[in-house]
PDB file of all heavy atoms in Angstrom:
ATOM      1  N   ARG A  15     -15.283 -22.602  -3.174  1.00 90.00           N
ATOM      2  CA  ARG A  15     -16.268 -22.625  -4.259  1.00 90.00           C
ATOM      3  C   ARG A  15     -17.079 -23.897  -4.146  1.00 90.00           C
ATOM      4  O   ARG A  15     -16.530 -24.992  -4.074  1.00 90.00           O
ATOM      5  CB  ARG A  15     -15.603 -22.577  -5.635  1.00 90.00           C
ATOM      6  CG  ARG A  15     -16.653 -22.404  -6.734  1.00 90.00           C
ATOM      7  CD  ARG A  15     -16.097 -22.687  -8.110  1.00 90.00           C
ATOM      8  NE  ARG A  15     -16.998 -22.311  -9.155  1.00 90.00           N
ATOM      9  CZ  ARG A  15     -18.121 -22.927  -9.484  1.00 90.00           C
ATOM     10  NH1 ARG A  15     -18.530 -23.974  -8.798  1.00 90.00           N
ATOM     11  NH2 ARG A  15     -18.872 -22.518 -10.486  1.00 90.00           N
ATOM     12  N   LEU A  16     -18.379 -23.752  -4.127  1.00 91.00           N
ATOM     13  CA  LEU A  16     -19.286 -24.875  -4.011  1.00 91.00           C
ATOM     14  C   LEU A  16     -19.075 -25.851  -5.158  1.00 91.00           C
ATOM     15  O   LEU A  16     -18.970 -25.454  -6.320  1.00 91.00           O
ATOM     16  CB  LEU A  16     -20.725 -24.370  -4.013  1.00 91.00           C
ATOM     17  CG  LEU A  16     -21.820 -25.344  -3.620  1.00 91.00           C
ATOM     18  CD1 LEU A  16     -21.618 -25.868  -2.201  1.00 91.00           C
ATOM     19  CD2 LEU A  16     -23.180 -24.667  -3.744  1.00 91.00           C
ATOM     20  N   LEU A  17     -19.002 -27.146  -4.840  1.00 93.00           N
ATOM     21  CA  LEU A  17     -18.881 -28.158  -5.877  1.00 93.00           C
ATOM     22  C   LEU A  17     -20.149 -28.155  -6.727  1.00 93.00           C
ATOM     23  O   LEU A  17     -21.254 -28.030  -6.197  1.00 93.00           O
ATOM     24  CB  LEU A  17     -18.668 -29.538  -5.246  1.00 93.00           C
ATOM     25  CG  LEU A  17     -17.334 -29.718  -4.511  1.00 93.00           C
ATOM     26  CD1 LEU A  17     -17.346 -30.982  -3.671  1.00 93.00           C
ATOM     27  CD2 LEU A  17     -16.187 -29.740  -5.507  1.00 93.00           C
ATOM     28  N   PRO A  18     -20.011 -28.272  -8.045  1.00 89.00           N
ATOM     29  CA  PRO A  18     -21.187 -28.175  -8.927  1.00 89.00           C
ATOM     30  C   PRO A  18     -22.309 -29.139  -8.563  1.00 89.00           C
ATOM     31  O   PRO A  18     -23.486 -28.781  -8.631  1.00 89.00           O
ATOM     32  CB  PRO A  18     -20.616 -28.492 -10.317  1.00 89.00           C
ATOM     33  CG  PRO A  18     -19.170 -28.164 -10.217  1.00 89.00           C
ATOM     34  CD  PRO A  18     -18.765 -28.437  -8.798  1.00 89.00           C
ATOM     35  N   GLU A  19     -21.974 -30.354  -8.150  1.00 92.00           N
ATOM     36  CA  GLU A  19     -23.021 -31.329  -7.838  1.00 92.00           C
ATOM     37  C   GLU A  19     -23.804 -30.967  -6.571  1.00 92.00           C
ATOM     38  O   GLU A  19     -24.873 -31.509  -6.325  1.00 92.00           O
ATOM     39  CB  GLU A  19     -22.443 -32.748  -7.731  1.00 92.00           C
ATOM     40  CG  GLU A  19     -21.413 -32.938  -6.641  1.00 92.00           C
ATOM     41  CD  GLU A  19     -19.975 -32.699  -7.100  1.00 92.00           C
ATOM     42  OE1 GLU A  19     -19.757 -32.079  -8.157  1.00 92.00           O
ATOM     43  OE2 GLU A  19     -19.070 -33.125  -6.377  1.00 92.00           O
ATOM     44  N   LEU A  20     -23.295 -30.049  -5.766  1.00 90.00           N
ATOM     45  CA  LEU A  20     -23.989 -29.626  -4.543  1.00 90.00           C
ATOM     46  C   LEU A  20     -24.705 -28.287  -4.715  1.00 90.00           C
ATOM     47  O   LEU A  20     -25.330 -27.798  -3.778  1.00 90.00           O
ATOM     48  CB  LEU A  20     -22.989 -29.527  -3.381  1.00 90.00           C
ATOM     49  CG  LEU A  20     -22.251 -30.823  -3.028  1.00 90.00           C
ATOM     50  CD1 LEU A  20     -21.246 -30.566  -1.921  1.00 90.00           C
ATOM     51  CD2 LEU A  20     -23.232 -31.909  -2.630  1.00 90.00           C
ATOM     52  N   ASP A  21     -24.609 -27.696  -5.905  1.00 88.00           N
ATOM     53  CA  ASP A  21     -25.195 -26.376  -6.137  1.00 88.00           C
ATOM     54  C   ASP A  21     -26.701 -26.492  -6.375  1.00 88.00           C
ATOM     55  O   ASP A  21     -27.153 -26.872  -7.450  1.00 88.00           O
ATOM     56  CB  ASP A  21     -24.518 -25.712  -7.336  1.00 88.00           C
ATOM     57  CG  ASP A  21     -24.908 -24.260  -7.492  1.00 88.00           C
ATOM     58  OD1 ASP A  21     -25.735 -23.760  -6.695  1.00 88.00           O
ATOM     59  OD2 ASP A  21     -24.382 -23.607  -8.411  1.00 88.00           O
ATOM     60  N   ASP A  22     -27.481 -26.159  -5.344  1.00 88.00           N
ATOM     61  CA  ASP A  22     -28.936 -26.187  -5.455  1.00 88.00           C
ATOM     62  C   ASP A  22     -29.522 -24.791  -5.661  1.00 88.00           C
ATOM     63  O   ASP A  22     -30.732 -24.607  -5.678  1.00 88.00           O
ATOM     64  CB  ASP A  22     -29.556 -26.846  -4.218  1.00 88.00           C
ATOM     65  CG  ASP A  22     -29.208 -26.120  -2.927  1.00 88.00           C
ATOM     66  OD1 ASP A  22     -28.589 -25.025  -2.981  1.00 88.00           O
ATOM     67  OD2 ASP A  22     -29.551 -26.646  -1.846  1.00 88.00           O
ATOM     68  N   GLY A  23     -28.639 -23.797  -5.808  1.00 82.00           N
ATOM     69  CA  GLY A  23     -29.082 -22.423  -6.024  1.00 82.00           C
ATOM     70  C   GLY A  23     -29.502 -21.704  -4.764  1.00 82.00           C
ATOM     71  O   GLY A  23     -29.890 -20.543  -4.809  1.00 82.00           O
ATOM     72  N   LYS A  24     -29.439 -22.361  -3.602  1.00 83.00           N
ATOM     73  CA  LYS A  24     -29.888 -21.750  -2.346  1.00 83.00           C
ATOM     74  C   LYS A  24     -28.761 -21.070  -1.578  1.00 83.00           C
ATOM     75  O   LYS A  24     -29.006 -20.272  -0.688  1.00 83.00           O
ATOM     76  CB  LYS A  24     -30.550 -22.795  -1.450  1.00 83.00           C
ATOM     77  CG  LYS A  24     -31.820 -23.370  -2.039  1.00 83.00           C
ATOM     78  CD  LYS A  24     -32.407 -24.425  -1.144  1.00 83.00           C
ATOM     79  CE  LYS A  24     -33.647 -25.034  -1.778  1.00 83.00           C
ATOM     80  NZ  LYS A  24     -34.140 -26.178  -1.039  1.00 83.00           N
ATOM     81  N   THR A  25     -27.519 -21.413  -1.903  1.00 82.00           N
ATOM     82  CA  THR A  25     -26.389 -20.784  -1.224  1.00 82.00           C
ATOM     83  C   THR A  25     -25.468 -20.170  -2.267  1.00 82.00           C
ATOM     84  O   THR A  25     -25.508 -20.531  -3.448  1.00 82.00           O
ATOM     85  CB  THR A  25     -25.581 -21.815  -0.394  1.00 82.00           C
ATOM     86  OG1 THR A  25     -25.100 -22.830  -1.280  1.00 82.00           O
ATOM     87  CG2 THR A  25     -26.430 -22.442   0.694  1.00 82.00           C
ATOM     88  N   GLY A  26     -24.622 -19.255  -1.845  1.00 81.00           N
ATOM     89  CA  GLY A  26     -23.680 -18.618  -2.759  1.00 81.00           C
ATOM     90  C   GLY A  26     -22.649 -19.614  -3.272  1.00 81.00           C
ATOM     91  O   GLY A  26     -22.279 -20.542  -2.556  1.00 81.00           O
ATOM     92  N   LYS A  27     -22.206 -19.394  -4.491  1.00 83.00           N
ATOM     93  CA  LYS A  27     -21.189 -20.284  -5.058  1.00 83.00           C
ATOM     94  C   LYS A  27     -19.879 -20.159  -4.303  1.00 83.00           C
ATOM     95  O   LYS A  27     -19.154 -21.117  -4.138  1.00 83.00           O
ATOM     96  CB  LYS A  27     -20.960 -19.959  -6.532  1.00 83.00           C
ATOM     97  CG  LYS A  27     -21.965 -20.613  -7.430  1.00 83.00           C
ATOM     98  CD  LYS A  27     -21.547 -20.501  -8.878  1.00 83.00           C
ATOM     99  CE  LYS A  27     -22.605 -21.164  -9.725  1.00 83.00           C
ATOM    100  NZ  LYS A  27     -22.461 -20.914 -11.121  1.00 83.00           N
ATOM    101  N   TYR A  28     -19.541 -18.944  -3.888  1.00 85.00           N
ATOM    102  CA  TYR A  28     -18.283 -18.698  -3.196  1.00 85.00           C
ATOM    103  C   TYR A  28     -18.554 -18.170  -1.794  1.00 85.00           C
ATOM    104  O   TYR A  28     -19.478 -17.371  -1.601  1.00 85.00           O
ATOM    105  CB  TYR A  28     -17.448 -17.644  -3.936  1.00 85.00           C
ATOM    106  CG  TYR A  28     -16.851 -18.130  -5.228  1.00 85.00           C
ATOM    107  CD1 TYR A  28     -17.549 -18.003  -6.423  1.00 85.00           C
ATOM    108  CD2 TYR A  28     -15.600 -18.717  -5.260  1.00 85.00           C
ATOM    109  CE1 TYR A  28     -17.005 -18.445  -7.620  1.00 85.00           C
ATOM    110  CE2 TYR A  28     -15.037 -19.158  -6.446  1.00 85.00           C
ATOM    111  CZ  TYR A  28     -15.745 -19.015  -7.621  1.00 85.00           C
ATOM    112  OH  TYR A  28     -15.204 -19.460  -8.796  1.00 85.00           O
ATOM    113  N   ILE A  29     -17.749 -18.608  -0.846  1.00 88.00           N
ATOM    114  CA  ILE A  29     -17.732 -17.966   0.466  1.00 88.00           C
ATOM    115  C   ILE A  29     -16.272 -17.742   0.852  1.00 88.00           C
ATOM    116  O   ILE A  29     -15.387 -18.512   0.456  1.00 88.00           O
ATOM    117  CB  ILE A  29     -18.469 -18.769   1.565  1.00 88.00           C
ATOM    118  CG1 ILE A  29     -17.875 -20.160   1.736  1.00 88.00           C
ATOM    119  CG2 ILE A  29     -19.951 -18.835   1.304  1.00 88.00           C
ATOM    120  CD1 ILE A  29     -18.395 -20.888   2.968  1.00 88.00           C
ATOM    121  N   ASN A  30     -16.048 -16.673   1.571  1.00 88.00           N
ATOM    122  CA  ASN A  30     -14.715 -16.326   2.035  1.00 88.00           C
ATOM    123  C   ASN A  30     -14.616 -16.530   3.532  1.00 88.00           C
ATOM    124  O   ASN A  30     -15.632 -16.543   4.241  1.00 88.00           O
ATOM    125  CB  ASN A  30     -14.400 -14.851   1.745  1.00 88.00           C
ATOM    126  CG  ASN A  30     -14.273 -14.566   0.264  1.00 88.00           C
ATOM    127  OD1 ASN A  30     -13.659 -15.325  -0.469  1.00 88.00           O
ATOM    128  ND2 ASN A  30     -14.865 -13.480  -0.167  1.00 88.00           N
ATOM    129  N   SER A  31     -13.393 -16.638   4.011  1.00 90.00           N
ATOM    130  CA  SER A  31     -13.174 -16.587   5.451  1.00 90.00           C
ATOM    131  C   SER A  31     -13.736 -15.274   5.963  1.00 90.00           C
ATOM    132  O   SER A  31     -13.706 -14.263   5.261  1.00 90.00           O
ATOM    133  CB  SER A  31     -11.665 -16.612   5.758  1.00 90.00           C
ATOM    134  OG  SER A  31     -11.095 -17.843   5.429  1.00 90.00           O
ATOM    135  N   PRO A  32     -14.234 -15.267   7.190  1.00 90.00           N
ATOM    136  CA  PRO A  32     -14.669 -13.992   7.753  1.00 90.00           C
ATOM    137  C   PRO A  32     -13.458 -13.124   8.069  1.00 90.00           C
ATOM    138  O   PRO A  32     -12.320 -13.616   8.101  1.00 90.00           O
ATOM    139  CB  PRO A  32     -15.398 -14.416   9.038  1.00 90.00           C
ATOM    140  CG  PRO A  32     -14.788 -15.727   9.395  1.00 90.00           C
ATOM    141  CD  PRO A  32     -14.416 -16.386   8.100  1.00 90.00           C
ATOM    142  N   GLU A  33     -13.696 -11.848   8.275  1.00 88.00           N
ATOM    143  CA  GLU A  33     -12.608 -10.950   8.668  1.00 88.00           C
ATOM    144  C   GLU A  33     -12.010 -11.446   9.979  1.00 88.00           C
ATOM    145  O   GLU A  33     -12.743 -11.830  10.899  1.00 88.00           O
ATOM    146  CB  GLU A  33     -13.140  -9.529   8.850  1.00 88.00           C
ATOM    147  CG  GLU A  33     -13.756  -8.939   7.600  1.00 88.00           C
ATOM    148  CD  GLU A  33     -12.737  -8.404   6.608  1.00 88.00           C
ATOM    149  OE1 GLU A  33     -11.779  -7.745   7.038  1.00 88.00           O
ATOM    150  OE2 GLU A  33     -12.905  -8.664   5.404  1.00 88.00           O
ATOM    151  N   THR A  34     -10.693 -11.477  10.040  1.00 86.00           N
ATOM    152  CA  THR A  34      -9.973 -11.885  11.243  1.00 86.00           C
ATOM    153  C   THR A  34      -8.845 -10.883  11.485  1.00 86.00           C
ATOM    154  O   THR A  34      -8.610 -10.008  10.641  1.00 86.00           O
ATOM    155  CB  THR A  34      -9.361 -13.300  11.086  1.00 86.00           C
ATOM    156  OG1 THR A  34      -8.315 -13.238  10.097  1.00 86.00           O
ATOM    157  CG2 THR A  34     -10.394 -14.343  10.690  1.00 86.00           C
ATOM    158  N   PRO A  35      -8.133 -11.009  12.596  1.00 85.00           N
ATOM    159  CA  PRO A  35      -7.002 -10.082  12.817  1.00 85.00           C
ATOM    160  C   PRO A  35      -5.959 -10.129  11.700  1.00 85.00           C
ATOM    161  O   PRO A  35      -5.234  -9.152  11.494  1.00 85.00           O
ATOM    162  CB  PRO A  35      -6.411 -10.556  14.143  1.00 85.00           C
ATOM    163  CG  PRO A  35      -7.562 -11.184  14.859  1.00 85.00           C
ATOM    164  CD  PRO A  35      -8.393 -11.830  13.775  1.00 85.00           C
ATOM    165  N   ILE A  36      -5.876 -11.232  10.947  1.00 89.00           N
ATOM    166  CA  ILE A  36      -4.865 -11.307   9.886  1.00 89.00           C
ATOM    167  C   ILE A  36      -5.463 -11.303   8.471  1.00 89.00           C
ATOM    168  O   ILE A  36      -4.727 -11.319   7.495  1.00 89.00           O
ATOM    169  CB  ILE A  36      -3.964 -12.558  10.060  1.00 89.00           C
ATOM    170  CG1 ILE A  36      -4.780 -13.852   9.983  1.00 89.00           C
ATOM    171  CG2 ILE A  36      -3.162 -12.473  11.342  1.00 89.00           C
ATOM    172  CD1 ILE A  36      -3.943 -15.113   9.896  1.00 89.00           C
ATOM    173  N   PHE A  37      -6.788 -11.280   8.343  1.00 90.00           N
ATOM    174  CA  PHE A  37      -7.418 -11.326   7.027  1.00 90.00           C
ATOM    175  C   PHE A  37      -8.418 -10.199   6.873  1.00 90.00           C
ATOM    176  O   PHE A  37      -9.415 -10.132   7.597  1.00 90.00           O
ATOM    177  CB  PHE A  37      -8.117 -12.670   6.815  1.00 90.00           C
ATOM    178  CG  PHE A  37      -8.892 -12.759   5.521  1.00 90.00           C
ATOM    179  CD1 PHE A  37      -8.252 -12.597   4.310  1.00 90.00           C
ATOM    180  CD2 PHE A  37     -10.251 -13.008   5.515  1.00 90.00           C
ATOM    181  CE1 PHE A  37      -8.942 -12.671   3.110  1.00 90.00           C
ATOM    182  CE2 PHE A  37     -10.960 -13.095   4.326  1.00 90.00           C
ATOM    183  CZ  PHE A  37     -10.302 -12.925   3.122  1.00 90.00           C
ATOM    184  N   ASN A  38      -8.129  -9.306   5.926  1.00 89.00           N
ATOM    185  CA  ASN A  38      -9.018  -8.198   5.617  1.00 89.00           C
ATOM    186  C   ASN A  38      -9.129  -8.118   4.093  1.00 89.00           C
ATOM    187  O   ASN A  38      -8.183  -7.726   3.414  1.00 89.00           O
ATOM    188  CB  ASN A  38      -8.439  -6.898   6.199  1.00 89.00           C
ATOM    189  CG  ASN A  38      -9.348  -5.724   5.997  1.00 89.00           C
ATOM    190  OD1 ASN A  38      -9.961  -5.577   4.942  1.00 89.00           O
ATOM    191  ND2 ASN A  38      -9.437  -4.871   6.996  1.00 89.00           N
ATOM    192  N   LYS A  39     -10.300  -8.504   3.550  1.00 86.00           N
ATOM    193  CA  LYS A  39     -10.503  -8.574   2.098  1.00 86.00           C
ATOM    194  C   LYS A  39     -10.256  -7.250   1.394  1.00 86.00           C
ATOM    195  O   LYS A  39      -9.807  -7.230   0.260  1.00 86.00           O
ATOM    196  CB  LYS A  39     -11.931  -9.015   1.773  1.00 86.00           C
ATOM    197  CG  LYS A  39     -12.198 -10.460   1.977  1.00 86.00           C
ATOM    198  CD  LYS A  39     -13.546 -10.850   1.411  1.00 86.00           C
ATOM    199  CE  LYS A  39     -14.662 -10.123   2.118  1.00 86.00           C
ATOM    200  NZ  LYS A  39     -15.986 -10.637   1.766  1.00 86.00           N
ATOM    201  N   SER A  40     -10.583  -6.159   2.053  1.00 87.00           N
ATOM    202  CA  SER A  40     -10.457  -4.865   1.391  1.00 87.00           C
ATOM    203  C   SER A  40      -9.004  -4.424   1.256  1.00 87.00           C
ATOM    204  O   SER A  40      -8.717  -3.439   0.589  1.00 87.00           O
ATOM    205  CB  SER A  40     -11.253  -3.797   2.144  1.00 87.00           C
ATOM    206  OG  SER A  40     -10.692  -3.573   3.414  1.00 87.00           O
ATOM    207  N   ARG A  41      -8.084  -5.166   1.859  1.00 89.00           N
ATOM    208  CA  ARG A  41      -6.665  -4.812   1.768  1.00 89.00           C
ATOM    209  C   ARG A  41      -5.862  -5.780   0.908  1.00 89.00           C
ATOM    210  O   ARG A  41      -4.780  -5.430   0.453  1.00 89.00           O
ATOM    211  CB  ARG A  41      -6.062  -4.770   3.161  1.00 89.00           C
ATOM    212  CG  ARG A  41      -6.611  -3.636   3.977  1.00 89.00           C
ATOM    213  CD  ARG A  41      -5.650  -3.263   5.059  1.00 89.00           C
ATOM    214  NE  ARG A  41      -6.055  -1.973   5.580  1.00 89.00           N
ATOM    215  CZ  ARG A  41      -6.260  -1.739   6.840  1.00 89.00           C
ATOM    216  NH1 ARG A  41      -6.060  -2.677   7.721  1.00 89.00           N
ATOM    217  NH2 ARG A  41      -6.618  -0.534   7.238  1.00 89.00           N
ATOM    218  N   LEU A  42      -6.373  -6.990   0.706  1.00 93.00           N
ATOM    219  CA  LEU A  42      -5.598  -8.015   0.011  1.00 93.00           C
ATOM    220  C   LEU A  42      -6.054  -8.206  -1.427  1.00 93.00           C
ATOM    221  O   LEU A  42      -7.249  -8.293  -1.701  1.00 93.00           O
ATOM    222  CB  LEU A  42      -5.725  -9.351   0.735  1.00 93.00           C
ATOM    223  CG  LEU A  42      -5.081  -9.447   2.111  1.00 93.00           C
ATOM    224  CD1 LEU A  42      -5.356 -10.803   2.732  1.00 93.00           C
ATOM    225  CD2 LEU A  42      -3.589  -9.199   2.030  1.00 93.00           C
ATOM    226  N   LEU A  43      -5.101  -8.281  -2.315  1.00 95.00           N
ATOM    227  CA  LEU A  43      -5.366  -8.630  -3.705  1.00 95.00           C
ATOM    228  C   LEU A  43      -4.945 -10.078  -3.902  1.00 95.00           C
ATOM    229  O   LEU A  43      -3.802 -10.451  -3.596  1.00 95.00           O
ATOM    230  CB  LEU A  43      -4.569  -7.729  -4.643  1.00 95.00           C
ATOM    231  CG  LEU A  43      -5.096  -6.309  -4.770  1.00 95.00           C
ATOM    232  CD1 LEU A  43      -4.047  -5.401  -5.375  1.00 95.00           C
ATOM    233  CD2 LEU A  43      -6.373  -6.290  -5.599  1.00 95.00           C
ATOM    234  N   TYR A  44      -5.855 -10.892  -4.397  1.00 94.00           N
ATOM    235  CA  TYR A  44      -5.566 -12.307  -4.586  1.00 94.00           C
ATOM    236  C   TYR A  44      -4.456 -12.461  -5.622  1.00 94.00           C
ATOM    237  O   TYR A  44      -4.520 -11.904  -6.717  1.00 94.00           O
ATOM    238  CB  TYR A  44      -6.826 -13.048  -5.054  1.00 94.00           C
ATOM    239  CG  TYR A  44      -6.626 -14.531  -5.162  1.00 94.00           C
ATOM    240  CD1 TYR A  44      -6.672 -15.331  -4.040  1.00 94.00           C
ATOM    241  CD2 TYR A  44      -6.370 -15.132  -6.382  1.00 94.00           C
ATOM    242  CE1 TYR A  44      -6.483 -16.709  -4.125  1.00 94.00           C
ATOM    243  CE2 TYR A  44      -6.176 -16.495  -6.482  1.00 94.00           C
ATOM    244  CZ  TYR A  44      -6.233 -17.275  -5.351  1.00 94.00           C
ATOM    245  OH  TYR A  44      -6.031 -18.622  -5.433  1.00 94.00           O
ATOM    246  N   GLY A  45      -3.428 -13.228  -5.259  1.00 96.00           N
ATOM    247  CA  GLY A  45      -2.330 -13.522  -6.169  1.00 96.00           C
ATOM    248  C   GLY A  45      -1.228 -12.482  -6.218  1.00 96.00           C
ATOM    249  O   GLY A  45      -0.234 -12.669  -6.918  1.00 96.00           O
ATOM    250  N   PHE A  46      -1.366 -11.401  -5.470  1.00 97.00           N
ATOM    251  CA  PHE A  46      -0.380 -10.323  -5.547  1.00 97.00           C
ATOM    252  C   PHE A  46       1.025 -10.804  -5.215  1.00 97.00           C
ATOM    253  O   PHE A  46       1.995 -10.413  -5.862  1.00 97.00           O
ATOM    254  CB  PHE A  46      -0.778  -9.170  -4.617  1.00 97.00           C
ATOM    255  CG  PHE A  46       0.172  -8.009  -4.668  1.00 97.00           C
ATOM    256  CD1 PHE A  46       0.141  -7.127  -5.733  1.00 97.00           C
ATOM    257  CD2 PHE A  46       1.094  -7.790  -3.661  1.00 97.00           C
ATOM    258  CE1 PHE A  46       1.020  -6.060  -5.798  1.00 97.00           C
ATOM    259  CE2 PHE A  46       1.972  -6.722  -3.708  1.00 97.00           C
ATOM    260  CZ  PHE A  46       1.933  -5.860  -4.783  1.00 97.00           C
ATOM    261  N   PHE A  47       1.148 -11.684  -4.233  1.00 96.00           N
ATOM    262  CA  PHE A  47       2.486 -12.139  -3.853  1.00 96.00           C
ATOM    263  C   PHE A  47       3.167 -12.900  -4.996  1.00 96.00           C
ATOM    264  O   PHE A  47       4.385 -12.917  -5.102  1.00 96.00           O
ATOM    265  CB  PHE A  47       2.447 -12.975  -2.565  1.00 96.00           C
ATOM    266  CG  PHE A  47       2.129 -14.434  -2.783  1.00 96.00           C
ATOM    267  CD1 PHE A  47       3.127 -15.393  -2.769  1.00 96.00           C
ATOM    268  CD2 PHE A  47       0.821 -14.844  -2.997  1.00 96.00           C
ATOM    269  CE1 PHE A  47       2.830 -16.729  -2.964  1.00 96.00           C
ATOM    270  CE2 PHE A  47       0.518 -16.177  -3.188  1.00 96.00           C
ATOM    271  CZ  PHE A  47       1.526 -17.122  -3.176  1.00 96.00           C
ATOM    272  N   ARG A  48       2.371 -13.523  -5.883  1.00 96.00           N
ATOM    273  CA  ARG A  48       2.931 -14.238  -7.031  1.00 96.00           C
ATOM    274  C   ARG A  48       3.240 -13.309  -8.206  1.00 96.00           C
ATOM    275  O   ARG A  48       4.136 -13.570  -8.993  1.00 96.00           O
ATOM    276  CB  ARG A  48       1.959 -15.298  -7.535  1.00 96.00           C
ATOM    277  CG  ARG A  48       1.794 -16.458  -6.620  1.00 96.00           C
ATOM    278  CD  ARG A  48       1.731 -17.747  -7.416  1.00 96.00           C
ATOM    279  NE  ARG A  48       1.498 -18.858  -6.530  1.00 96.00           N
ATOM    280  CZ  ARG A  48       2.457 -19.547  -5.940  1.00 96.00           C
ATOM    281  NH1 ARG A  48       3.699 -19.229  -6.139  1.00 96.00           N
ATOM    282  NH2 ARG A  48       2.167 -20.556  -5.145  1.00 96.00           N
ATOM    283  N   SER A  49       2.455 -12.257  -8.349  1.00 97.00           N
ATOM    284  CA  SER A  49       2.537 -11.447  -9.563  1.00 97.00           C
ATOM    285  C   SER A  49       3.231 -10.108  -9.391  1.00 97.00           C
ATOM    286  O   SER A  49       3.446  -9.406 -10.376  1.00 97.00           O
ATOM    287  CB  SER A  49       1.135 -11.227 -10.121  1.00 97.00           C
ATOM    288  OG  SER A  49       0.331 -10.587  -9.161  1.00 97.00           O
ATOM    289  N   LYS A  50       3.609  -9.733  -8.187  1.00 97.00           N
ATOM    290  CA  LYS A  50       4.144  -8.382  -7.977  1.00 97.00           C
ATOM    291  C   LYS A  50       5.398  -8.094  -8.797  1.00 97.00           C
ATOM    292  O   LYS A  50       5.557  -6.987  -9.317  1.00 97.00           O
ATOM    293  CB  LYS A  50       4.359  -8.088  -6.493  1.00 97.00           C
ATOM    294  CG  LYS A  50       5.292  -8.995  -5.766  1.00 97.00           C
ATOM    295  CD  LYS A  50       5.267  -8.683  -4.272  1.00 97.00           C
ATOM    296  CE  LYS A  50       6.057  -9.721  -3.502  1.00 97.00           C
ATOM    297  NZ  LYS A  50       5.927  -9.494  -2.055  1.00 97.00           N
ATOM    298  N   ASN A  51       6.275  -9.085  -8.965  1.00 97.00           N
ATOM    299  CA  ASN A  51       7.481  -8.848  -9.776  1.00 97.00           C
ATOM    300  C   ASN A  51       7.136  -8.641 -11.239  1.00 97.00           C
ATOM    301  O   ASN A  51       7.727  -7.788 -11.914  1.00 97.00           O
ATOM    302  CB  ASN A  51       8.483  -9.993  -9.607  1.00 97.00           C
ATOM    303  CG  ASN A  51       9.083 -10.007  -8.221  1.00 97.00           C
ATOM    304  OD1 ASN A  51       9.164  -8.975  -7.549  1.00 97.00           O
ATOM    305  ND2 ASN A  51       9.495 -11.179  -7.766  1.00 97.00           N
ATOM    306  N   GLU A  52       6.157  -9.402 -11.744  1.00 98.00           N
ATOM    307  CA  GLU A  52       5.711  -9.235 -13.140  1.00 98.00           C
ATOM    308  C   GLU A  52       5.063  -7.867 -13.345  1.00 98.00           C
ATOM    309  O   GLU A  52       5.270  -7.230 -14.375  1.00 98.00           O
ATOM    310  CB  GLU A  52       4.710 -10.329 -13.522  1.00 98.00           C
ATOM    311  CG  GLU A  52       5.325 -11.683 -13.730  1.00 98.00           C
ATOM    312  CD  GLU A  52       6.059 -11.821 -15.053  1.00 98.00           C
ATOM    313  OE1 GLU A  52       5.676 -11.165 -16.040  1.00 98.00           O
ATOM    314  OE2 GLU A  52       7.028 -12.586 -15.078  1.00 98.00           O
ATOM    315  N   ILE A  53       4.269  -7.430 -12.378  1.00 98.00           N
ATOM    316  CA  ILE A  53       3.634  -6.107 -12.472  1.00 98.00           C
ATOM    317  C   ILE A  53       4.710  -5.034 -12.543  1.00 98.00           C
ATOM    318  O   ILE A  53       4.643  -4.119 -13.366  1.00 98.00           O
ATOM    319  CB  ILE A  53       2.678  -5.876 -11.284  1.00 98.00           C
ATOM    320  CG1 ILE A  53       1.483  -6.823 -11.363  1.00 98.00           C
ATOM    321  CG2 ILE A  53       2.220  -4.418 -11.231  1.00 98.00           C
ATOM    322  CD1 ILE A  53       0.628  -6.871 -10.107  1.00 98.00           C
ATOM    323  N   ARG A  54       5.713  -5.163 -11.692  1.00 97.00           N
ATOM    324  CA  ARG A  54       6.812  -4.190 -11.668  1.00 97.00           C
ATOM    325  C   ARG A  54       7.558  -4.202 -13.006  1.00 97.00           C
ATOM    326  O   ARG A  54       7.827  -3.151 -13.580  1.00 97.00           O
ATOM    327  CB  ARG A  54       7.775  -4.505 -10.523  1.00 97.00           C
ATOM    328  CG  ARG A  54       8.886  -3.487 -10.353  1.00 97.00           C
ATOM    329  CD  ARG A  54       9.839  -3.839  -9.228  1.00 97.00           C
ATOM    330  NE  ARG A  54       9.178  -3.768  -7.931  1.00 97.00           N
ATOM    331  CZ  ARG A  54       8.969  -4.828  -7.133  1.00 97.00           C
ATOM    332  NH1 ARG A  54       9.357  -6.037  -7.485  1.00 97.00           N
ATOM    333  NH2 ARG A  54       8.377  -4.668  -5.967  1.00 97.00           N
TER     334      ARG A  54
END
C-alpha cells in the first residue's frame, strides 16, 4: 500500500505481486490460514 505522503494520485494505492508458480490471486483468500478454524 502506497504511503500517504507519496500518493500523488498517479499510481494505484495497492499493488500485488504478479502471478507466479506459487501465487495465484484467484485461488487465495487473504487471511484464510488464520481464520479457517473460526469459520468452521
Side-chain angles (χ1 to χ4, degrees):
R15 188 194 190 288
L16 192 60
L17 293 167
E19 62 269 17
L20 300 177
D21 190 358
D22 60 7
K24 296 178 182 172
T25 60
K27 277 191 181 169
Y28 288 90
I29 58 169
N30 292 317
S31 292
E33 300 280 317
T34 68
I36 61 170
F37 175 60
N38 184 320
K39 284 190 297 190
S40 66
R41 292 204 165 127
L42 292 177
L43 286 163
Y44 185 80
F46 181 77
F47 85 101
R48 290 221 183 271
S49 59
K50 59 187 172 185
N51 291 334
E52 286 284 330
I53 293 168
R54 185 181 293 115

